[in-house]
Amino acid sequence: ALLTVLSTSSGFACNSRLSEGTLRKADMAEASSSSESVLTWDQVSRLNEVLTEAVPVHGRGNFPTLEVRLKDIVQMVRSRLEQRGIHVKDIRLNGSTASHVLVKDIGWSYKDLDVIFRVDLPEEAQFQLIKDVVLGTLLDFLPEGVNKEKITPMTLKEAYVQKLVKVYTEQDRWSLISLSNNNGRNVELKFVDSIRRQFEFSVDSFQIILDSLLSYYDLSENPMSQHFHPSVLGESMYGDFAVALDHLRNKLIATKRPEEIRGGGLLKYCNLLVRDFRPTDEEEFKALERYMCSRFFIDFPDIGEQQRKLEAYLQSHFVGEEKSKYDYLMILRRVVNESTVCLMGHERRQTLNLISLTAFRVLAEQNAIPDASNVTCYYQPAPYLRDLNFSNYYVASCNQSIPTWLPCN
């Protein structure tokens, strides 16, 4: 029988009767848009590894750990959504995992497994239906011997869901269900009708359309090879796929429409800096740093909100990279110190103090606080120390110039 695997999003096909090399040439000709590109075999192979790897979803309390393969949960959720009347236009891999698939070994390991389901959400009722479907799907991953009849959706949510987000406005309609992983590799299922901004910088703008590969899993019993595998399409929300991919390979930071970047963009920007990414235009990014700082303080005006956001970011983006946390915080402190123009002096000092205390705590957790005998600290003399008529201070030599900062032992 003739095996044909079709991609519902791109229209590409692979056919077992095609001669070697014909498939790839035909695919490349189809990728007419500059924002799209057909993945190479190496990239498809890495994508296959991501989708078929077992990822633990850790339960709270006495709930068992679920072993979940991304391809399985994605296919099950899609099937059940469509059974309930919600059409899934396509499914995409997003974020750092998509970047890992496209370019291996770029200085950081991928974290969350971000999957986007493009759906229509005309009413808020669909959000509850989606949540019910995802939680119901988790039941199928429970190990044998567990009495599933007594487990309610609320119980599953408390046991396995780390984060639930729902946004329903005129411009943004989407929801997020994040499944817990103690190592920071959460399975994040995002259901998107519309969203204003899908990326912050060119290097995190990639989305990989999974439909053709998911269809291959359903229809083919043969393992994939360099000469026989489905066409997989990648897209850059930045615009030009080749340019964005060049930025990723060469560790360059670039963006478009910076006014749309939310407050978290500052934290992402400093994360790229600590991993040796550099702006494509230093002067342009000096101005952008000021904008990102302003936006951060608009979105997180209270010191408590800033602390929660910073701690959550460190927890989710530096798992297994504890030694990078301190360097990251020092870069963040420098950017905030040099580029914050929208705060009163005491508010700015408050935020800088928060970052410094967090950095000190990071060192303490790593037992990396230096021996006090090797530390030189400094104090600033009071102005009246220069006043020769002030008798309460003994000055050894009145002709000696006093430095701005004096060491203390």
Side-chain angles (χ1 to χ4, degrees):
L2 174 64
L3 169 65
T4 303
V5 179
L6 297 176
S7 166
T8 58
S9 58
S10 65
F12 296 158
C14 73
N15 188 311
S16 60
R17 293 179 180 173
L18 290 177
S19 60
E20 292 183 6
T22 304
L23 172 61
R24 302 305 304 159
K25 293 177 182 178
D27 290 343
M28 296 303 294
E30 289 287 344
S32 57
S33 171
S34 63
S35 67
E36 300 174 342
S37 178
V38 176
L39 271 59
T40 65
W41 160 242
D42 287 340
Q43 293 167 337
V44 173
S45 180
R46 280 196 296 272
L47 177 60
N48 179 58
E49 292 174 2
V50 168
L51 294 180
T52 56
E53 178 188 15
V55 179
V57 175
H58 296 108
R60 296 183 181 90
N62 295 324
F63 279 84
T65 297
L66 310 181
E67 294 295 328
V68 174
R69 291 193 302 175
L70 199 59
K71 79 178 190 67
D72 294 335
I73 192 169
V74 164
Q75 288 173 309
M76 293 167 68
V77 168
R78 176 173 63 179
S79 174
R80 294 177 186 186
L81 283 177
E82 295 190 336
Q83 289 174 10
R84 302 286 292 272
I86 295 182
H87 173 62
V88 179
K89 300 173 185 176
D90 60 38
I91 302 173
R92 298 170 177 235
L93 187 69
N94 186 47
S96 61
T97 313
S99 298
H100 161 78
V101 167
L102 295 173
V103 179
K104 190 178 181 181
D105 299 328
I106 52 176
W108 80 83
S109 59
Y110 61 93
K111 302 300 180 187
D112 294 338
L113 295 166
D114 300 319
V115 178
I116 295 175
F117 294 76
R118 292 207 307 142
V119 295
D120 290 323
L121 300 171
E123 300 175 355
E124 284 196 67
Q126 271 84 11
F127 289 89
Q128 183 61 45
L129 194 155
I130 286 172
K131 185 173 76 169
D132 292 343
V133 164
V134 173
L135 294 177
T137 301
L138 293 181
L139 281 174
D140 292 338
F141 290 95
L142 287 169
E144 294 182 6
V146 175
N147 188 350
K148 301 178 183 180
E149 294 179 0
K150 295 183 178 181
I151 300 178
T152 65
M154 180 60 70
T155 303
L156 287 168
K157 181 178 82 69
E158 294 299 324
Y160 294 109
V161 175
Q162 177 166 316
K163 183 167 54 178
L164 271 175
V165 179
K166 180 180 76 172
V167 178
Y168 192 82
T169 66
E170 287 187 8
Q171 292 180 305
D172 294 297
R173 292 185 183 184
W174 56 271
S175 69
L176 171 69
I177 301 176
S178 178
L179 306 180
S180 300
N181 177 278
N182 295 341
N183 300 318
R185 189 160 292 181
N186 296 345
V187 176
E188 301 214 328
L189 307 178
K190 196 170 188 177
F191 303 87
V192 177
D193 181 315
S194 60
I195 189 169
R196 279 176 294 180
R197 180 88 179 190
Q198 299 190 61
F199 74 100
E200 290 163 327
F201 304 99
S202 60
V203 294
D204 66 5
S205 69
F206 298 103
Q207 295 183 1
I208 298 174
I209 303 169
L210 302 178
D211 297 70
S212 60
L213 194 51
L214 295 175
S215 297
Y216 186 93
Y217 294 140
D218 284 338
L219 299 176
S220 176
E221 297 180 356
N222 300 318
M224 288 188 295
S225 67
Q226 182 173 358
H227 303 297
F228 186 78
H229 62 272
S231 304
V232 180
L233 194 66
E235 183 176 1
S236 169
M237 301 297 108
Y238 177 76
D240 192 310
F241 189 97
V243 170
L245 190 61
D246 180 72
H247 291 167
L248 183 61
R249 285 173 173 153
N250 294 290
K251 294 190 171 184
L252 298 174
I253 308 174
T255 192
K256 291 181 178 178
R257 305 184 302 280
E259 69 279 359
E260 296 177 358
I261 298 178
R262 307 292 294 181
L266 172 65
L267 303 182
K268 177 61 177 288
Y269 172 68
C270 293
N271 195 357
L272 291 175
L273 291 179
V274 81
R275 301 177 193 283
D276 297 325
F277 282 72
R278 290 294 174 261
T280 52
D281 187 320
E282 294 283 351
E283 290 303 316
E284 178 184 337
F285 267 81
K286 282 297 179 184
L288 184 58
E289 285 179 6
R290 291 192 290 271
Y291 178 85
M292 287 189 291
C293 286
S294 299
R295 186 68 206 218
F296 179 80
F297 291 115
I298 290 171
D299 288 354
F300 310 103
D302 178 74
I303 191 68
E305 292 179 271
Q306 295 168 21
Q307 181 176 359
R308 286 189 292 273
K309 179 66 177 178
L310 180 57
E311 289 178 349
Y313 192 89
L314 290 173
Q315 183 179 3
S316 61
H317 290 81
F318 288 89
V319 175
E321 299 177 284
E322 304 301 320
K323 293 183 179 180
S324 298
K325 284 185 180 179
Y326 179 81
D327 294 336
Y328 169 78
L329 289 165
M330 289 298 97
I331 289 174
L332 176 62
R333 192 186 190 284
R334 174 185 61 77
V335 172
V336 170
N337 187 44
E338 295 176 357
S339 302
T340 298
V341 295
C342 65
L343 294 183
M344 300 289 288
H346 73 281
E347 293 174 322
R348 179 171 163 275
R349 288 191 296 272
Q350 199 175 33
T351 300
L352 292 173
N353 185 51
L354 166 64
I355 299 172
S356 298
L357 288 176
T358 305
F360 186 81
R361 192 184 71 232
V362 165
L363 288 179
E365 291 171 351
Q366 299 172 10
N367 294 320
I369 297 177
D371 184 355
S373 63
N374 297 324
V375 173
T376 301
C377 61
Y378 292 85
Y379 71 93
Q380 189 169 21
Y384 43 69
L385 185 58
R386 291 182 180 274
D387 185 355
L388 302 183
N389 296 318
F390 189 81
S391 58
N392 286 352
Y393 278 82
Y394 171 73
V395 181
S397 173
C398 295
N399 297 323
Q400 180 181 359
S401 62
I402 300 174
T404 304
W405 292 88
L406 297 179
C408 63
N409 297 321

